[in-house]
Amino acid sequence: MEVEAAYDRLNEGHFRRLWFGPRMRAYHRACGRCFPGALWSGSGYAYGEISTWPRLPLALLFLEWEARHPQEWTGHAKDWGTKQALIRDLAATDHDRYLRAKLVDLVDLAVQRTYRCKDREYVRVARAVDGDELRDRLHRAQRSENPAARLHAGYVLLLLDRPEIPNTRHVWRTWLSGTLT
């Protein structure tokens, strides 16, 4: 709401020179205090260095919020590009024990629910943190009562077992049709 109010104030003025003046600064300050703008506002984050990024806990919270409360996240912070960028960058970084555990949790959360936009990106994370803990969770999900979890877990396990298979939309659709085993 604060961001929307700042944006409205930004566009109220009759003089275009105000666009880059105090109103724009107010808009950026408001963006920096809510998702997803808080992740990027003056962050100094550079690709490949996310594991040492001071806003990493905020990024993990953003992804966890989307995974646990998708409707709320969609209403207040929906940004599929940010979700995709964070997942990709997290898959391409070093993983200490804490980060590895959080990423295994996120993969598990994504597998347990109905597919949402950019969820296929979690296969990258699964490949990056592959190990006994993740595979145990995926096998549990594959045996669960939840049909979405069974489907997603089977897909992720297939791609973990066969790294030569790319994680593409075509492969996902082939998996869904039951012709890829």
Side-chain angles (χ1 to χ4, degrees), residues 66 69-76 116:
E66 189 273 336
H69 308 286
Q71 297 309 321
E72 181 181 284
W73 180 88
T74 299
H76 297 287
R116 283 179 51 88

Side-chain angles (χ1 to χ4, degrees), residues 10-72:
L10 175 70
N11 290 307
E12 283 173 1
H14 295 286
F15 304 104
R16 282 289 177 209
R17 63 185 161 82
L18 292 178
W19 179 263
F20 295 104
R23 291 179 182 196
M24 185 57 107
R25 285 191 298 277
Y27 172 72
H28 284 292
R29 275 194 311 273
C31 284
R33 291 192 292 268
C34 58
F35 279 128
L39 291 168
W40 310 120
S41 177
S43 71
Y45 163 58
Y47 180 82
E49 299 171 14
I50 198 168
S51 63
T52 59
W53 186 36
R55 294 185 185 176
L56 177 60
L58 194 59
L60 293 170
L61 179 64
F62 179 77
L63 293 172
E64 186 175 348
W65 183 24
E66 189 273 336
R68 291 187 188 276
H69 308 286
Q71 297 309 321
E72 181 181 284

Side-chain angles (χ1 to χ4, degrees), residues 28-120:
H28 284 292
R29 275 194 311 273
C31 284
R33 291 192 292 268
C34 58
F35 279 128
L39 291 168
W40 310 120
S41 177
S43 71
Y45 163 58
Y47 180 82
E49 299 171 14
I50 198 168
S51 63
T52 59
W53 186 36
R55 294 185 185 176
L56 177 60
L58 194 59
L60 293 170
L61 179 64
F62 179 77
L63 293 172
E64 186 175 348
W65 183 24
E66 189 273 336
R68 291 187 188 276
H69 308 286
Q71 297 309 321
E72 181 181 284
W73 180 88
T74 299
H76 297 287
K78 180 177 113 177
D79 190 331
W80 301 117
T82 295
K83 176 184 174 180
Q84 181 178 31
L86 290 174
I87 293 170
R88 286 183 175 187
D89 290 350
L90 285 165
T93 190
D94 295 328
H95 306 101
D96 61 24
R97 273 186 12 185
Y98 168 76
L99 182 54
R100 183 180 193 81
K102 292 299 279 183
L103 294 177
V104 167
D105 288 344
L106 285 170
V107 170
D108 189 38
L109 287 169
V111 163
Q112 297 291 334
R113 66 175 184 191
T114 303
Y115 180 85
R116 283 179 51 88
C117 186
K118 307 299 180 190
D119 275 355
R120 249 185 340 95

